[in-house]
Amino acid sequence: FTMSRLFILSILSLFLISLTSAQIWPQPYHQVISDQTTTFSTNPQVTQIDSDIFKNALQRYLKIIFGKEAHNYSHRINGEVSMWNVRIANVDTKLRLGADESYTLKVSQNLVELTANEVWGALRGLESLSQLIERQVQTSDTAEQTVSYTSKLADITDKPRYPWRGLLIDVSRHFLSPRTIKRTIDALAYNKMNVLHIHLTDAQSFPIQVKQYPDLSNKALWHEGMQYTAEILSDIVQYAYERGVRVIPEVDVPGHAYSWGLGYPESVAKCPRLMDRTHNINNVPLNMGKEIVYDLIKALLDEMSDVFVDDYVHMGGDEVVTSCWKEDESITQFMKDHNLATYDDFEGYFESRLETLYRHNNRKMVSWQELSEIKTNQWKLPNDSIIQVWKEAHDLPSYTSTGNKLLLSGGWYLDKAVPDSLQVPPYLFGDNWKNMYAVEPEKYLNEHQYNLLLGGEVCQFGEQVDEHTIDSRIWPRAAAVAERLWSPKSVNDTSSAEKRLIRHRCEVLVKRGIHAFPLRPDFCPYVWDM
């Protein structure tokens, strides 16, 4: 009993210590935080910037920082800092891979100075500022409360380590409402992540509406209304854009295609013996010998191009079960008629035609690692395609020979109890954030290979995650990957990170409405201030 009490007290002490001063997550490239503090006015004068993106972000962050005291005369609080000087060199740049997210932030006794080359850097600077400013409440002997907003003086120069810092969510295995997707986008911005990869289609459902072929979705929904129209998706994409988050849609082909066949049966391979044996609908791929497949994909990509504005589209390519093709006599005949000797040739034939379809919409491809492994003369992986390595982090070097840019997801699967097979699994499920934090991409690559790495994505596939559990399954574990992808390589001490992450979970995520699970026995004090 005594040891248990000591353990709990030590953990609570750790938690309370972590709350004593604000810290920025992910840790900046360079920061000098003083012991001196200053106070803030809740209605600051901010430099007028000719950018709707920045203006909207400023209003969001004033509300996040100051709550009801922001722009409310009756609740206005005065402080030493009443002026925020903002300078953005270029306010009109498009959100894209490689957008400049660097910024400098200086909090002095009477002034905030935020400087960025592009508006996207200014957004990251506002997030850092929001994490530095704390609300303080003092209660007098007469029970009268005095509220102030304080921050330590700070001088920060910051930039991301990698340009692609993403999260995959899966809306096929369980439908996620637009409200939940937007909340996830908010959380990405709070962690300076800049890509939302939406796994739109899979065997279980086809929730994206295709107007030219309505039965693709209508016959493959979980329930009426669980569908993403162009209007819904456009709203999500714009919401993300304003927060500096690119949205990458994934259409997973040619595998994982069972749902396509619910509306258009001729579009998928027929393998009843395999299905009787495995009872696994994930094993059903497209039948690329049928022209309807290309009609469906063209319609889907054409309509998606009006909604998803990014230069990249993810075309899947993983876990194709060729034994299903082998069982389908129409595919055997098609391969014979077209001199396709192997199933790699059959897939290469498909990828060649697929490339024409996404090129028509001026898109470049991201694919899972398997697509780069097929051996065929029918098609070659385009030089501008990105390979996403998902099985193991130590697999990275195997995918550098083609010279294609790379993304890492190996070791960062949130649905796996043991994210990396080379690591020791933790006793507590939530502690596998430490496994994820310990994945260092540079460890496996030489200098030439490392230059191919764009960053990575943490992946939350949806077999066991839905509307009600997704926040706690993603956060705060994904924040560990966010720091790995943003902060310098030297920021790698798990003990230090744990203290900061406990605070970040409570003071940023939970406080802002993200239902992140706790890492230790503790409490967030303001939750009980009712």
Side-chain angles (χ1 to χ4, degrees):
F1 176 75
T2 301
M3 290 300 294
S4 298
R5 286 187 63 188
L6 287 172
F7 175 76
I8 293 171
L9 287 172
S10 67
I11 293 298
L12 287 175
S13 297
L14 180 151
F15 176 70
L16 293 172
I17 289 169
S18 71
L19 290 182
T20 56
S21 62
Q23 299 183 57
I24 298 169
W25 188 285
Q27 187 168 304
Y29 175 76
H30 177 75
Q31 62 178 350
V32 178
I33 309 294
S34 168
D35 289 332
Q36 293 179 271
T37 61
T38 189
T39 58
F40 284 77
S41 295
T42 58
N43 189 34
Q45 288 183 277
V46 183
T47 308
Q48 292 295 311
I49 301 295
D50 187 21
S51 164
D52 289 339
I53 295 288
F54 181 80
K55 290 176 183 177
N56 293 338
L58 177 64
Q59 295 308 309
R60 289 196 305 274
Y61 277 104
L62 287 173
K63 185 175 181 181
I64 285 172
I65 296 167
F66 300 123
K68 65 182 181 181
E69 282 91 15
H71 297 304
N72 187 327
Y73 185 81
S74 62
H75 292 92
R76 188 175 299 176
I77 296 171
N78 293 320
E80 296 169 277
V81 178
S82 60
M83 179 75 70
W84 296 8
N85 283 350
V86 180
R87 295 188 298 276
I88 303 174
N90 191 341
V91 297
D92 296 322
T93 53
K94 173 187 173 183
L95 183 61
R96 67 208 183 278
L97 174 60
D100 191 336
E101 298 173 275
S102 66
Y103 67 93
T104 62
L105 174 65
K106 187 171 184 180
V107 179
S108 55
Q109 202 68 49
N110 304 104
L111 183 67
V112 166
E113 296 174 273
L114 174 59
T115 304
N117 293 322
E118 297 183 7
V119 68
W120 315 114
L123 266 58
R124 307 307 176 216
L126 286 175
E127 176 57 42
S128 290
L129 180 61
S130 75
Q131 294 185 25
L132 285 174
I133 299 173
E134 297 182 284
R135 188 174 191 263
Q136 307 284 353
V137 180
Q138 292 182 326
T139 304
S140 68
D141 294 338
T142 60
E144 184 176 343
Q145 290 189 332
T146 302
V147 177
S148 62
Y149 288 88
T150 67
S151 170
K152 289 189 173 182
L153 307 190
D155 194 344
I156 294 165
T157 300
D158 204 6
K159 62 180 181 179
R161 184 181 177 193
Y162 296 104
W164 192 305
R165 308 177 308 281
L167 166 72
L168 176 149
I169 58 172
D170 176 359
V171 299
S172 174
R173 271 58 176 261
H174 283 93
F175 183 85
L176 298 175
S177 71
R179 179 182 64 253
T180 292
I181 295 174
K182 288 181 177 180
R183 189 173 66 252
T184 301
I185 291 167
D186 287 334
L188 290 174
Y190 302 155
N191 290 278
K192 296 190 178 75
M193 300 177 81
N194 65 357
V195 173
L196 178 66
H197 171 171
I198 305 182
H199 186 78
L200 281 170
T201 67
D202 213 292
Q204 286 73 18
S205 76
F206 197 110
I208 178 173
Q209 182 187 65
V210 182
K211 293 178 181 178
Q212 295 180 62
Y213 293 93
D215 281 352
L216 256 181
S217 183
N218 291 344
K219 296 290 182 67
L221 298 176
W222 283 113
H223 190 271
E224 184 179 358
M226 289 186 171
Q227 183 182 64
Y228 302 108
T229 63
E231 292 75 22
I232 289 171
L233 291 171
S234 293
D235 181 55
I236 289 170
V237 169
Q238 181 61 31
Y239 188 92
Y241 195 94
E242 292 199 356
R243 287 152 180 79
V245 176
R246 300 161 50 216
V247 180
I248 308 296
E250 180 186 351
V251 179
D252 196 359
V253 289
H256 293 270
Y258 179 85
S259 62
W260 297 62
L262 298 177
Y264 298 90
E266 66 273 31
S267 68
V268 298
K270 304 299 186 291
C271 47
R273 291 192 298 276
L274 176 66
M275 289 299 292
D276 286 345
R277 187 169 69 253
T278 65
H279 303 288
N280 186 355
I281 61 174
N282 289 303
N283 291 340
V284 178
L286 293 173
N287 181 346
M288 297 98 71
K290 301 293 186 180
E291 202 61 29
I292 183 64
V293 166
Y294 305 97
D295 295 336
L296 295 173
I297 294 176
K298 182 180 187 306
L300 175 58
L301 293 179
D302 286 351
E303 293 184 24
M304 280 173 47
S305 69
D306 294 330
V307 171
F308 297 98
V309 298
D310 202 82
D311 294 332
Y312 288 89
V313 59
H314 202 300
M315 298 307 304
D318 64 315
E319 299 180 323
V320 179
V321 180
T322 59
S323 56
C324 187
W325 286 338
K326 184 177 182 179
E327 192 177 328
D328 191 317
E329 293 181 2
S330 72
I331 291 175
T332 302
Q333 187 61 48
F334 181 88
M335 292 175 63
K336 182 178 179 181
D337 293 344
H338 290 78
N339 296 316
L340 303 173
T342 67
Y343 293 117
D344 276 3
D345 287 339
F346 185 44
E347 190 170 355
Y349 167 88
F350 167 73
E351 292 296 337
S352 179
R353 294 191 62 178
L354 177 65
E355 182 179 349
T356 301
L357 298 178
Y358 65 74
R359 294 286 191 199
H360 174 73
N361 293 304
N362 298 313
R363 297 298 188 269
K364 293 175 278 191
M365 180 178 71
V366 187
S367 72
W368 299 110
Q369 65 190 61
E370 291 96 323
L371 197 57
S372 68
E373 298 169 0
I374 65 172
K375 295 175 173 57
T376 179
N377 294 323
Q378 296 290 323
W379 171 80
K380 179 180 179 293
L381 185 71
N383 293 332
D384 59 1
S385 292
I386 297 172
I387 302 170
Q388 187 163 4
V389 178
W390 67 272
K391 292 186 178 180
E392 300 282 357
H394 57 262
D395 288 340
L396 271 174
S398 302
Y399 296 91
T400 60
S401 60
T402 62
N404 289 77
K405 295 294 186 181
L406 302 173
L407 294 173
L408 176 62
S409 288
W412 292 335
Y413 265 50
L414 294 165
D415 54 323
K416 294 176 68 174
V418 186
D420 190 306
S421 65
L422 298 182
Q423 296 178 333
V424 178
Y427 177 74
L428 295 174
F429 174 80
D431 278 349
N432 67 18
W433 74 267
K434 296 177 183 179
N435 300 65
M436 299 179 190
Y437 194 76
V439 173
E440 172 46 60
E442 194 172 344
K443 172 183 177 181
Y444 305 103
L445 303 171
N446 62 37
E447 182 177 354
H448 170 71
Q449 294 170 332
Y450 184 69
N451 289 333
L452 299 175
L453 188 63
L454 292 172
E457 292 181 355
V458 57
C459 297
Q460 180 60 76
F461 281 96
E463 288 89 345
Q464 295 183 324
V465 175
D466 69 2
E467 184 88 355
H468 308 289
T469 61
I470 189 166
D471 280 17
S472 62
R473 289 298 296 271
I474 294 176
W475 308 106
R477 292 184 299 157
V481 180
E483 182 155 281
R484 178 59 53 244
L485 294 173
W486 177 280
S487 303
K489 178 184 176 183
S490 58
V491 180
N492 58 15
D493 181 72
T494 306
S495 297
S496 169
E498 182 170 25
K499 298 172 186 177
R500 293 184 295 109
L501 187 56
I502 287 171
R503 185 188 194 286
H504 179 68
R505 176 255 169 186
C506 183
E507 290 295 307
V508 176
L509 298 177
V510 174
K511 193 171 186 177
R512 299 181 189 181
I514 309 301
H515 306 298
F517 73 79
L519 298 176
R520 292 291 179 266
D522 58 31
F523 71 103
C524 297
Y526 60 84
V527 173
W528 303 103
D529 185 18
M530 297 181 179

